[in-house]
Amino acid sequence: MKVTAFNGSARKDGNTAIMLNVALEELKKQGIETELYQLSGKQIHGCIACYKCMENKDQRCAVEKDVANECIEKMLASDGIILGSPTYFADISSEMKALIDRAGLVSRANGDMFKRKVGAAVVAARRGGCIHAFDSMNHFFLIGQMIIPGSNYWNMGFGLNKGDVEKDEEAIGTMKVLGENMGWLLKKINGSAS
Ligand SMILES: Cc1cc2nc3c(=O)[nH]c(=O)nc-3n(C[C@H](O)[C@H](O)[C@H](O)COP(=O)(O)O)c2cc1C
């Protein structure tokens, strides 16, 4: 089994990445393969509404000049998908929005191709707007027939500068419980949990 976490932050290895890594560590403890894919420094454009994916139905976006199809391939090859974003103006980053629009339309064009994969959203913020960003990412899972595990709080952590979120003990705890629950759910779905 594999879980891939996508970090939509423009800042590599920042607070979102730290939170994602805590959840991934818990998954690793359960014997699940993990990968952190960071969009920072990579090119990803928004959907151009060409609707070619609806004609082609080949599980790919027709626009090949950025990393969208690389991400879509990783999503298809994973049993679990975590979307992580910092809060930018009370919503997700442009990079994460582009990934959601591109992967989401291709999924719809191909009969909800991520159906029944496990999905979770993770958000970093300095102070406000993270619930809205959290909801924005959960819409991707919910419209695509994916299954979302919970934690003991909503998956958010606070901090401005890189590394600040490490001081948010509640956030780190929430990420650990998320990882535990995601692993449990993946094993249940695949018939190996007690
Ligand atoms: C363009 C921009 C907009 C931001 N907007 C918000 C915001 O609306 N609310 C908030 O709490 N923090 C906001 N922040 C702060 C980031 O969410 C915060 O620093 C977060 O920890 C960054 O995560 P990262 O280290 O993974 O990039 C903003 C930061 C940037 C660069």
Side-chain angles (χ1 to χ4, degrees), residues 114-120 141 145-149 185 189:
F114 306 128
K115 180 178 175 177
R116 297 187 188 143
K117 290 185 189 288
V118 173
F141 304 125
Q145 305 188 48
M146 295 178 68
I147 302 160
I148 303 175
L185 182 58
I189 289 169

Side-chain angles (χ1 to χ4, degrees), residues 85-94 96-97 122-137 139 156 158:
S85 179
T87 305
Y88 287 173
F89 285 84
D91 213 325
I92 52 177
S93 67
S94 309
M96 181 50 63
K97 179 67 171 136
V122 167
V123 185
R126 181 189 72 83
R127 188 171 177 84
C130 42
I131 268 290
H132 187 219
F134 183 62
D135 292 346
S136 292
M137 288 187 280
H139 293 148
M156 59 180 67
F158 293 100

Side-chain angles (χ1 to χ4, degrees), residues 9 11 14-17 86-90 124-128 159-160 162:
S9 177
R11 187 160 70 174
N15 295 319
T16 312
T87 305
Y88 287 173
F89 285 84
R126 181 189 72 83
R127 188 171 177 84
L160 174 61
K162 257 187 179 181

Side-chain angles (χ1 to χ4, degrees), residues 4-9 37-39 43-47 61 66-75 81-85 92-107 114 137 140-141:
T4 304
F6 295 88
N7 179 13
S9 177
Y37 185 95
Q38 307 205 55
L39 286 167
Q43 288 296 318
I44 186 154
H45 196 283
C47 175
C61 177
D66 61 16
V67 297
N69 279 322
E70 189 184 339
C71 294
I72 289 168
E73 282 167 20
K74 285 184 185 291
M75 287 179 175
I81 298 165
I82 308 182
L83 298 182
S85 179
I92 52 177
S93 67
S94 309
E95 290 85 349
M96 181 50 63
K97 179 67 171 136
L99 176 61
I100 286 174
D101 290 351
R102 300 280 292 283
L105 204 63
V106 172
S107 172
F114 306 128
M137 288 187 280
F140 172 78
F141 304 125

Side-chain angles (χ1 to χ4, degrees), residues 23-83:
L24 294 179
E25 275 307 310
E26 292 305 315
L27 288 157
K28 271 190 224 163
K29 284 182 198 163
Q30 296 193 34
I32 294 166
E33 188 188 342
T34 65
E35 180 179 352
L36 175 64
Y37 185 95
Q38 307 205 55
L39 286 167
S40 171
K42 299 189 173 85
Q43 288 296 318
I44 186 154
H45 196 283
C47 175
I48 60 165
C50 67
Y51 291 100
K52 290 201 178 114
C53 57
M54 296 282 176
E55 292 163 26
N56 297 342
K57 298 192 186 306
D58 60 356
Q59 302 191 324
R60 297 185 72 76
C61 177
V63 178
E64 293 280 0
K65 58 188 175 198
D66 61 16
V67 297
N69 279 322
E70 189 184 339
C71 294
I72 289 168
E73 282 167 20
K74 285 184 185 291
M75 287 179 175
L76 276 171
S78 301
D79 304 285
I81 298 165
I82 308 182
L83 298 182

